[in-house]
Amino acid sequence: MSDHFISIEGIARRFPAPGGSATTVFENAWLSMSRGEFACIIGHSGCGKTTVLNILAGLDAPSNGAVIVDGQAIEGPSLDRAVIFQSHALLPWRTVLGNVTYAVSSKWRDWDKAKVAAHAQKFIDLVGLTGAEHKRPSELSGGMKQRVGIARALSIEPKIMLMDEPFSALDALTRGTLQDEVRRICQETGQTVFMITHDVDEAIYLADKVVLMTNGPGAVLAEIVENPLPRQRARNDFHKHPLYYATRNHIIDFLVSRSRTFIKDIGDDYDPRHVSIVRPGLPEPSIAAAQKSTTRPRDHAAAS
């Protein structure tokens, strides 16, 4: 990967445990992403997915290692990085427009009210909430609240959008609709996205690549699955693609069995800086060994 827009470099996260010891959630994680790429990370609860996202957001700090975004080390929260949580996290006393303008005015403090409102309206329209600008969160459905959260995140024009299972609390129909909207918006805007999900089909539909983590504690990044489906895939037929089941079965097989025994099975062949890249084919996925690099440590990443 030539454009290391996001570079996760050897991060670990440990928490104090009784008796003066420490619990290692994950260890020595290396991963890179290109600008405009959509990555989903999948793993069982407790492997540290949300912790990785919080470190990317600047809401947590790694015990070791560093994260570089667009040439800058992350040292805390920034309006360059927007987070969409599982819950909408809206301000209940503000309207749809008020919630979005609050974010806009936080980033561009010198803008007048008219410019802030016009900018916010553009993103309210983008997520399909035209006409609901003056409703408060209590007047909105769950899906509409999440749309406001998406509009608010996009309105600050972040370098990265971080999504922590944003559709998990929604009904299936609303969830599918919002997945379609997020996919459309990200393709139109070229947004870079790092998303946590437990839904394999959601990952295959949305992501350019799927990052697989082993079970925690002591989790590691195991594989990077490159999505072989066309980038212009549609919801009503992406499952008909001849490579869909090869991709899905590989990910499910990892989650059901290999995630528990991955380190034991791979042994000394595991190199955290050069995680295997999986390119699904017919009838089974093919695994491409990661290429060794002679660049400086900062240029190393899980997928190159």
Side-chain angles (χ1 to χ4, degrees):
M1 187 177 295
S2 58
D3 176 15
H4 290 181
F5 179 61
I6 301 174
S7 184
I8 296 175
E9 303 179 354
I11 63 171
R13 191 65 177 97
R14 304 182 188 90
F15 294 97
S21 61
T23 297
T24 300
V25 181
F26 59 83
E27 187 76 56
N28 205 11
W30 294 77
L31 178 69
S32 71
M33 287 178 60
S34 296
R35 191 185 304 269
E37 193 169 41
F38 197 128
C40 280
I41 186 165
I42 292 183
H44 290 283
S45 296
C47 70
K49 302 183 300 297
T50 297
T51 303
V52 173
L53 183 142
N54 286 339
I55 290 172
L56 277 166
L59 301 174
D60 197 1
S63 303
N64 292 105
V67 179
I68 313 298
V69 175
D70 202 15
Q72 300 273 332
I74 291 178
E75 296 179 347
S78 167
L79 290 172
D80 285 339
R81 302 182 299 277
V83 184
I84 301 175
F85 300 100
Q86 293 181 39
S87 62
H88 52 79
L90 301 180
L91 301 175
W93 60 90
R94 284 181 171 263
T95 63
V96 170
L97 182 62
N99 269 278
V100 180
T101 57
Y102 181 79
V104 175
S105 59
S106 296
K107 182 161 186 178
W108 293 286
R109 297 180 182 273
D110 58 336
W111 285 10
D112 60 37
K113 288 185 178 180
K115 187 173 182 180
V116 168
H119 186 82
Q121 186 66 51
K122 179 174 69 173
F123 291 92
I124 291 171
D125 296 342
L126 187 65
V127 300
L129 285 177
T130 308
E133 295 87 350
H134 302 296
K135 292 185 177 181
R136 300 187 188 278
S138 60
E139 302 174 84
L140 305 176
S141 67
M144 292 174 75
K145 291 173 185 176
Q146 284 297 77
R147 286 175 184 266
V148 179
I150 294 167
R152 182 177 57 185
L154 290 169
S155 71
I156 62 173
E157 299 181 352
K159 292 181 178 179
I160 312 170
M161 189 156 67
L162 304 166
M163 307 176 74
D164 188 0
E165 296 189 77
F167 314 127
S168 60
L170 303 175
D171 64 89
L173 183 60
T174 303
R175 180 175 187 151
T177 300
L178 282 186
Q179 288 170 354
D180 292 342
E181 288 297 300
V182 166
R183 178 164 177 76
R184 174 185 63 81
I185 290 167
C186 290
Q187 287 187 328
E188 288 179 1
T189 62
Q191 182 67 56
T192 305
V193 183
F194 182 89
M195 177 176 168
I196 295 171
T197 184
H198 283 101
D199 187 325
V200 175
D201 284 330
E202 181 173 79
I204 296 173
Y205 179 53
L206 293 176
D208 299 310
K209 67 183 180 185
V210 182
V211 182
L212 304 180
M213 288 190 75
T214 63
N215 294 5
V220 300
L221 299 185
E223 293 175 351
I224 311 295
V225 180
E226 291 186 346
N227 195 337
L229 275 63
R231 193 172 178 86
Q232 298 301 321
R233 53 193 175 269
R235 170 175 299 282
N236 62 348
D237 60 7
F238 84 102
H239 62 283
K240 300 175 184 177
H241 192 278
L243 295 179
Y244 164 74
Y245 280 106
T247 306
R248 190 176 192 273
N249 290 343
H250 182 85
I251 295 172
I252 290 177
D253 175 66
F254 176 85
L255 293 172
V256 170
S257 58
R258 293 191 298 119
S259 60
R260 299 193 303 269
T261 62
F262 177 81
I263 289 298
K264 179 181 177 181
D265 293 341
I266 198 170
D268 294 338
D269 290 334
Y270 178 70
D271 182 352
R273 295 192 180 192
H274 303 94
V275 175
S276 293
I277 301 170
V278 179
R279 299 187 175 98
L282 293 173
E284 296 294 336
S286 60
I287 299 179
Q291 298 296 315
K292 299 293 183 179
S293 174
T294 58
T295 56
R296 295 173 299 168
R298 172 161 293 185
D299 292 326
H300 285 290
S304 57

